């Protein structure tokens, strides 16, 4: 059952990676909450970064979810 141990180990690693992402998102939330005033140039910069970064993060999360679903299906279909 070495392969099953490998699955469990990799799932635990990926769960820690997801926790790390959540922590980084909390850091962004805290940083944004600490800002009290922005110039129009800063406002534009924040808007652009938000648009770009959220699109990238969302794309990667959706892709990761699809891969996880494919992995689950593969494991389920072995037995």
């Amino acid at each position: 059952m070495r392969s099953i141990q490998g699955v469990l180990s990799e799932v635990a690693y990926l769960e820690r990676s997801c926790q790390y992402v959540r922590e980084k998102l909390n850091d962004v939330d805290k940083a944004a909450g600490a800002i009290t005033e922005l110039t129009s140039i800063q406002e534009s910069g924040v808007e652009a970064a938000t648009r770009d970064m959220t699109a990238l993060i969302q794309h990667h999360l959706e892709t990761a979810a699809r891969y996880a679903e494919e992995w689950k299906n593969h494991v389920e279909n072995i037995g």
Side-chain angles (χ1 to χ4, degrees):
M1 294 285 231
R2 185 180 52 184
S3 62
I4 299 304
Q5 285 300 90
V7 168
L8 298 175
S9 175
E10 292 299 327
V11 167
Y13 174 80
L14 292 170
E15 287 175 338
R16 288 189 301 276
S17 296
C18 290
Q19 178 61 36
Y20 178 75
V21 171
R22 285 193 299 272
E23 289 169 4
K24 293 298 134 191
L25 291 173
N26 285 334
D27 291 346
V28 173
D29 186 54
K30 288 176 188 173
I35 296 172
T36 58
E37 197 171 315
L38 295 173
T39 67
S40 60
I41 292 173
Q42 290 171 321
E43 188 79 31
S44 294
V46 169
E47 288 174 355
T50 299
R51 182 182 55 251
D52 295 346
M53 293 301 108
T54 56
L56 287 168
I57 292 168
Q58 183 175 358
H59 170 75
H60 286 286
L61 290 174
E62 289 170 356
T63 300
R66 280 195 313 273
Y67 287 146
E69 181 69 21
E70 288 177 28
W71 187 18
K72 177 196 67 106
N73 290 339
H74 184 75
V75 170
E76 285 179 338
N77 291 328
I78 295 297

